Amino acid sequence: MPFRFEFPAVVRNTARFYGDGLRSMTLGRSLWLVIAIKLVVIFGILKLFFFPDYLGTHFETNRERADFVLEQITHPQPSTSPGGELDD
Amino acid sequence: MIDHLDLTMVNWARAQFALTAMYHWIFVPLTLGITWIIAYYHSIYYKTGNEEWKRLTRFWMRLFAVNFAIGVATGIILEFEFGTNWSNYSWMVGDIFGAPLAIEGLFAFFIEATFFAVMFFGWDRVSRKFHLFSTWMVAIGSNLSAVWILVANAWMQNPIGQEFNPDKARFEMTSFKDIVFSPIAVAKFTHTTSSSMVLAAMFIISVSSWYLLKGRHQVMARRSIIVASVFAFLASLFVIFTGDQSAYTVAQKQPMKLAACEGLYRGEEGAELIAFGILNGNKKIGDDQKPCLFKIGVPGMLSYLSNRSFNSFVPGIEDMVSGNPSRNIMGTGQKMEMGKTALAALAEYKDKTTSGDAAGAAAALVTFNANKQFLGYGYLEKPEDAAPPVALSFYSFHFMVILGTLFPVVALAFLFFAWRDTLADRKWLLRLGTIMFFLSLIAHWLGWIVAEVGRQPWAIQDLLPVTVARSNLTVGTVQTTFFLFLALFTILLIAEIGIMLKQIAIGPEEG
């Protein structure tokens, strides 16, 4: 007799519960669409192109990051000069 | 005010953070508060089996879902901003914030996500008891997940349970308990969650008032208002109590903030609490001008609020800036000296460690440890820099208090006329009711302005000013993302208002 894998009943019932619930939504579909678009914009555009982790992208190791921050806090650069143009 | 309008990188980054936080804070308090009221509505349905309460519960759940969907993930943008605009700060607090934020994530995922689905999909699918349990768990879970972010914020206002590691340039946690149960954290959590309950109750009162004005869904609207008014009234009283606790902890831990909120330049015994006042815009720290052009005050009340004694001394801005030896208050100038000594010792420690001079490094570390409690003052240019913007703190605080006093009165009025069964005839009250949500939202925003502007110049109280907490970015970079956010948030807000208004117009399912 061929082996046939079946998920436990609790898993099947839970999946059916969520599946039925999602299918029966009317307003919920619009809301999921809003959430999906928002997540794409937040993670796919904002995070990727506009919000890199400054220390994560500029340094390889935590030691380098710690040294950089230590340098920053012990020899801070002026931040109130007009324009405040600093290193990028 | 104009003195502080300095749009360099730091201030653009601050403006961006404020914009994001204020947008995020439209959704958070409504979620925190309305889940309790929905759970209560659901409980009434569970107890009575009355279908009208079921329709009512489902209707408010629907509006909650709209709010949740539009608001979800907006807080993540704040974390992006930490990493990009505030990288020094982000690095330095990573060890402290890691645990609370991880716990928040777990709470949000396991409790909210699991029971959230059962709450929405569970009608006639799970047992009535488990369904009701799930609704309560959504309320408990969402409020518990808020604990952790508020703990993180409270730590910035009162950085206890930590030790600065000069090798890693990080504040490291030494006592989780001290951080979680710090007086500021406890006051912040209770004040925030209770005021969120007021906001949510006002949201229900606003929507229901509109229905009554339009003559629609009157039974549902009246029932919703009665329960929401009881919640609003009781929660408002609790907000006054927690507000008092909050002011007391601020007086103990951040006296400069309290002095700015009250426009108190020179400390005094039996200090009065200003109920309403107009500040003298020309007043400068150290001059002889009066701080207020006009004021109505309650004698001794600020002393009581600060020290639980009507005759006690409350320090003013000038006492803390210039020092007041007779009151044993150290001036900012002396703290700046100690801060500069700590910074020089930290730099020396780094140099000696790099060059392998262990004895020199140890000596520098001793000097650093002796002065590190005022580390942040070493960055200030003049003692007056330790004072926050007084006008913004003062007016935000007072308008918040005025609004906070209005809420229980309005809630009582709604209850009174509902009891007299004449609510539908009180058009003036219903019209006022329609704007109560917006007034309570403004009160929340003002509260955050008090908390955050009032603690300037600090990112971490006494230890790190915002000017040093930032990343090395150009103004243009931050300006670009600021306007990008402004556009994104405006679109999302229009989407939310559109979906929300449509759902309100549809109203509850007809029986």
Side-chain angles (χ1 to χ4, degrees):
Chain A
M1 213 172 142
F3 172 76
R4 190 163 164 241
F5 176 78
E6 277 198 352
F7 284 104
V10 66
V11 176
R12 278 184 276 133
N13 290 340
T14 306
R16 195 179 308 124
F17 176 80
Y18 276 82
D20 291 349
L22 290 168
R23 269 194 297 277
S24 68
M25 288 195 308
T26 46
L27 165 67
R29 286 184 192 155
S30 318
L31 297 181
W32 278 115
L33 185 66
V34 169
I35 291 172
I37 292 170
K38 193 168 54 173
L39 289 178
V40 167
V41 171
I42 289 175
F43 287 101
I45 299 174
L46 292 179
K47 178 63 181 166
L48 212 56
F49 298 108
F50 295 98
F51 283 91
D53 182 333
Y54 185 85
L55 294 176
T57 52
H58 283 72
F59 302 97
E60 295 280 318
T61 66
N62 280 347
R63 182 68 265 161
E64 289 174 356
R65 291 178 192 115
D67 285 343
F68 175 76
V69 173
L70 211 49
E71 179 63 23
Q72 289 284 302
I73 63 175
T74 49
H75 302 98
Q77 297 178 49
S79 58
T80 51
S81 56
E85 299 294 329
L86 299 168
D87 295 340
D88 194 358
Chain B
M1 292 281 288
I2 294 297
D3 290 345
H4 295 276
L5 200 63
D6 169 10
L7 298 180
T8 56
M9 180 268 158
V10 169
N11 284 332
W12 275 106
R14 287 177 63 200
Q16 186 183 76
F17 199 87
L19 173 75
T20 316
M22 288 173 92
Y23 177 74
H24 183 52
W25 204 255
I26 296 171
F27 311 106
V28 175
L30 190 51
T31 292
L32 295 182
I34 204 167
T35 47
W36 293 117
I37 305 177
I38 288 172
Y40 194 78
Y41 287 144
H42 194 169
S43 300
I44 299 176
Y45 166 62
Y46 177 82
K47 203 169 168 58
T48 62
N50 183 329
E51 287 296 310
E52 185 62 36
W53 283 104
K54 180 180 178 183
R55 276 193 293 279
L56 187 155
T57 306
R58 286 176 66 112
F59 172 66
W60 294 113
M61 272 188 192
R62 189 145 43 95
L63 297 193
F64 163 57
V66 173
N67 179 67
F68 189 88
I70 308 282
V72 75
T74 52
I76 289 172
I77 299 172
L78 294 168
E79 292 193 28
F80 292 173
E81 289 174 29
F82 278 136
T84 304
N85 298 341
W86 304 100
S87 58
N88 290 347
Y89 163 85
S90 199
W91 174 262
M92 293 172 81
V93 303
D95 187 70
I96 303 281
F97 282 18
L101 295 183
I103 297 171
E104 189 211 0
L106 286 173
F107 263 109
F109 185 77
F110 285 112
I111 296 187
E112 282 181 88
T114 305
F115 292 108
F116 196 87
V118 178
M119 182 176 95
F120 279 102
F121 303 152
W123 298 101
D124 306 321
R125 299 292 306 272
V126 297
S127 75
R128 293 178 73 231
K129 192 177 275 186
F130 182 63
H131 192 207
L132 177 64
F133 172 75
S134 299
T135 307
W136 279 101
M137 285 306 291
V138 169
I140 293 167
S142 51
N143 279 265
L144 278 182
S145 67
V147 168
W148 304 105
I149 193 71
L150 293 172
V151 162
N153 181 274
W155 182 84
M156 293 191 280
Q157 321 263 351
N158 181 29
I160 56 173
Q162 53 81 17
E163 186 74 39
F164 184 75
N165 182 330
D167 294 308
K168 295 181 179 174
R170 291 193 120 162
F171 294 100
E172 294 180 338
M173 188 185 296
T174 55
S175 170
F176 184 68
K177 182 171 146 268
D178 284 354
I179 292 173
V180 173
F181 294 105
S182 95
I184 294 226
V186 173
K188 195 169 274 293
F189 175 70
T190 52
H191 195 55
T192 304
T193 48
S194 54
S195 57
S196 295
M197 208 178 278
V198 175
L199 178 137
M202 291 303 172
F203 173 76
I204 290 172
I205 287 174
S206 289
V207 175
S208 302
S209 294
W210 184 77
Y211 281 140
L212 289 181
L213 279 171
K214 294 288 175 190
R216 296 176 55 194
H217 313 297
Q218 298 198 46
V219 174
M220 186 224 67
R222 192 170 171 280
R223 287 182 176 182
S224 296
I225 281 179
I226 290 171
V227 173
S229 298
V230 172
F231 264 87
F233 179 68
L234 296 177
S236 297
L237 296 185
F238 193 59
V239 166
I240 292 170
F241 170 72
T242 57
D244 170 73
Q245 284 298 110
S246 193
Y248 176 74
T249 54
V250 166
Q252 304 304 311
K253 307 295 180 189
Q254 298 172 297
M256 183 67 92
K257 181 195 279 186
L258 187 76
C261 287
E262 274 299 300
L264 184 69
Y265 281 80
R266 283 187 194 156
E268 52 192 65
E269 291 177 351
E272 67 176 358
L273 182 72
I274 296 176
F276 181 73
I278 296 172
L279 287 177
N280 177 356
N282 296 321
K283 170 71 183 165
K284 299 270 185 265
I285 295 171
D287 69 16
D288 288 327
Q289 295 191 65
K290 285 186 175 179
C292 285
L293 299 174
F294 164 78
K295 65 178 175 179
I296 301 169
V298 185
M301 191 53 85
L302 186 61
S303 289
Y304 182 79
L305 205 67
S306 303
N307 304 308
R308 301 304 187 223
S309 161
F310 286 105
N311 297 316
S312 62
F313 178 80
V314 181
I317 293 169
E318 288 167 5
D319 296 288
M320 289 173 273
V321 167
S322 308
N324 185 341
S326 67
R327 298 286 177 179
N328 208 20
I329 297 171
M330 187 190 288
T332 302
Q334 193 180 342
K335 291 179 184 176
M336 285 170 63
E337 286 302 315
M338 292 176 73
K340 288 181 196 310
T341 304
L343 283 174
L346 186 60
E348 190 183 347
Y349 172 79
K350 189 187 168 210
D351 290 342
K352 301 285 185 191
T353 306
T354 308
S355 63
D357 179 358
L365 197 55
V366 169
T367 307
F368 172 73
N369 284 333
N371 295 280
K372 67 181 179 184
Q373 63 174 317
F374 298 117
L375 181 69
Y377 287 88
Y379 300 107
L380 304 185
E381 291 175 5
K382 54 186 188 302
E384 290 80 3
D385 290 346
V390 175
L392 188 53
S393 306
F394 178 90
Y395 288 117
S396 299
F397 178 66
H398 285 87
F399 280 114
M400 175 190 71
V401 172
I402 289 168
L403 288 172
T405 312
L406 174 71
F407 298 143
V409 176
V410 172
L412 260 190
F414 268 96
L415 273 179
F416 176 74
F417 290 114
W419 171 66
R420 295 276 299 268
D421 206 14
T422 56
L423 197 52
D425 304 327
R426 306 291 159 178
K427 304 291 184 202
W428 63 271
L429 184 61
L430 295 175
R431 285 192 196 101
L432 178 64
T434 56
I435 62 165
M436 288 313 292
F437 168 64
F438 303 101
L439 293 182
S440 51
L441 184 60
I442 288 169
H444 270 255
W445 282 341
L446 292 174
W448 277 112
I449 291 172
V450 169
E452 300 305 304
V453 174
R455 72 180 166 105
Q456 293 306 308
W458 308 114
I460 304 171
Q461 184 74 35
D462 295 345
L463 299 178
L464 186 74
V466 290
T467 48
V468 184
R470 50 101 181 109
S471 303
N472 276 359
L473 295 174
T474 60
V475 172
T477 307
V478 187
Q479 280 174 328
T480 305
T481 50
F482 176 88
F483 288 110
L484 197 67
F485 275 175
L486 191 60
L488 175 70
F489 292 160
T490 306
I491 292 167
L492 279 174
L493 199 57
I494 290 169
E496 165 163 49
I497 292 170
I499 298 172
M500 191 71 91
L501 289 180
K502 190 177 170 192
Q503 292 306 315
I504 291 170
I506 293 169
E509 303 151 0
E510 293 301 332

